């Protein structure tokens, strides 16, 4: 796990816009990613296994409430355990190294596998925003809200270790 740099932008844009990924993410642009890299409370993190295997964009609120919002999270290839490794490294970074208290994520209601993935990690469903997102196709979908606290992380890690 490492922070993205400007040199990573072309690979992250290509990753997000690749077939199979583009349907899950809004189109990526180099300009938007550079803005995130330049913003003090936005981060782009890379899962680097010798090549770009995953990325996450995270909005940080470190000053008052100490929470992080995971806005985008993607791995390739899916279904080979990369997501679990990357997510656990990301959560460890947020909770253990940086001292955040809470991590939040939202996923589309038409992607139940994403909700199950986050729940397996220890996230809890906190809400449902009905028909909250208009997809590029014009279809409206629900948004599932999930969160994990530092205490949830500790409990999940203890369970994984036993």
């Amino acid at each position: 796990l490492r922070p993205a740099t400007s040199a990573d932008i072309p690979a992250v844009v290509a990753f997000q816009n690749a077939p199979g990924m583009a349907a899950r993410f809004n189109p990526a642009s180099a300009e938007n990613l550079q803005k995130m890299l330049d913003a003090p409370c936005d981060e782009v993190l890379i899962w680097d296994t010798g090549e770009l295997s995953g990325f996450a964009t995270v909005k940080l609120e470190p000053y008052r409430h100490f929470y992080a919002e995971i806005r985008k999270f993607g791995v390739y290839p899916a279904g080979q355990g990369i997501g679990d490794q990357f997510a656990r490294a990301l959560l460890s970074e947020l909770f253990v190294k940086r001292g955040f208290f809470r991590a939040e994520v939202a996923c589309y209601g038409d992607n139940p596998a994403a909700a199950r993935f986050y729940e397996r990690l220890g996230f809890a469903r906190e809400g449902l925003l009905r028909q909250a997102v208009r997809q590029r196709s014009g279809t409206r979908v629900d948004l599932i809200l999930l969160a994990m606290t530092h205490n949830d992380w500790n409990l999940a890690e203890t369970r994984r270790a036993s």
Side-chain angles (χ1 to χ4, degrees):
L1 181 68
R2 64 175 177 78
T5 66
S6 294
D8 293 312
I9 289 176
V12 174
V13 169
F15 186 92
Q16 277 189 254
N17 293 335
M21 298 298 278
R24 295 190 297 163
F25 300 110
N26 290 327
S29 73
E31 295 79 19
N32 285 345
L33 281 169
Q34 187 63 56
K35 285 179 188 175
M36 288 192 78
L37 291 178
D38 295 340
C41 290
D42 288 336
E43 284 201 33
V44 180
L45 297 160
I46 301 293
W47 188 244
D48 189 341
T49 58
E51 62 183 351
L52 176 66
S53 297
F55 79 98
T57 61
V58 183
K59 178 81 169 176
L60 304 173
E61 205 300 344
Y63 305 110
R64 188 167 154 213
H65 301 294
F66 299 98
Y67 74 87
E69 178 186 350
I70 302 167
R71 294 203 168 167
K72 291 183 181 179
F73 182 90
V75 297
Y76 184 82
Q80 297 187 11
I82 296 168
D84 287 348
Q85 294 169 20
F86 180 24
R88 289 182 61 213
L90 173 61
L91 293 167
S92 179
E93 174 75 20
L94 295 172
F95 290 128
V96 179
K97 292 183 183 170
R98 298 189 189 195
F100 279 85
F101 181 74
R102 178 181 170 88
E104 300 173 351
V105 67
C107 57
Y108 295 153
D110 66 348
N111 187 359
R116 286 192 306 272
F117 169 75
Y118 292 115
E119 290 172 329
R120 266 196 334 268
L121 290 169
F123 281 80
R125 286 187 191 217
E126 291 194 330
L128 177 72
L129 302 178
R130 295 175 51 236
Q131 298 182 0
V133 176
R134 185 177 179 270
Q135 295 181 319
R136 284 181 276 172
S137 66
T139 305
R140 297 198 76 76
V141 296
D142 297 342
L143 197 61
I144 301 167
L145 307 176
L146 301 105
M148 174 185 277
T149 65
H150 191 276
N151 296 337
D152 297 332
W153 167 254
N154 288 336
L155 181 60
E157 285 300 287
T158 300
R159 286 181 181 154
R160 272 189 274 280
S162 60

